[in-house]
Amino acid sequence: MGLRAQVRDGLTENGRESSLNADCLTGLYAGDLFLGLRDQQTPIRLSAGDLDEAVVSFLAFDDPGEDSGSPFERSDAFRTGFLGEKADCDAILG
């Protein structure tokens, strides 16, 4: 989700900040779903276990050869988006 939003916004750079921004945008989308802010024909529901899965994926799929941020930084970026707004995610880019 986050990468798709970045391409839509014209961001094609790769790096730590853009990766954390993508994680934040994914959290933003998940937060919108959780709060029912997205107009969906078929409602999507999130449970607490789904959020745990996001954190687990940051730990399980960490690539030490890629500078995408530590699992803790990525979880923090996701949480920033989940609880915040797009401006909070844009701030990650500096």
Side-chain angles (χ1 to χ4, degrees), residues 31-84:
D32 284 359
L33 287 176
F34 181 75
L35 296 172
L37 301 176
R38 297 274 171 181
D39 187 24
Q40 303 276 336
Q41 287 182 352
T42 305
I44 299 173
R45 304 277 186 233
L46 294 176
S47 69
D50 294 327
L51 299 177
D52 291 342
E53 293 286 332
V55 173
V56 167
S57 71
F58 292 138
L59 294 169
F61 298 109
D62 182 41
D63 183 359
E66 188 176 311
D67 188 19
S68 58
S70 73
F72 300 106
E73 291 171 313
R74 296 186 69 197
S75 297
D76 187 49
F78 182 88
R79 181 177 46 85
T80 296
F82 191 88
L83 298 173

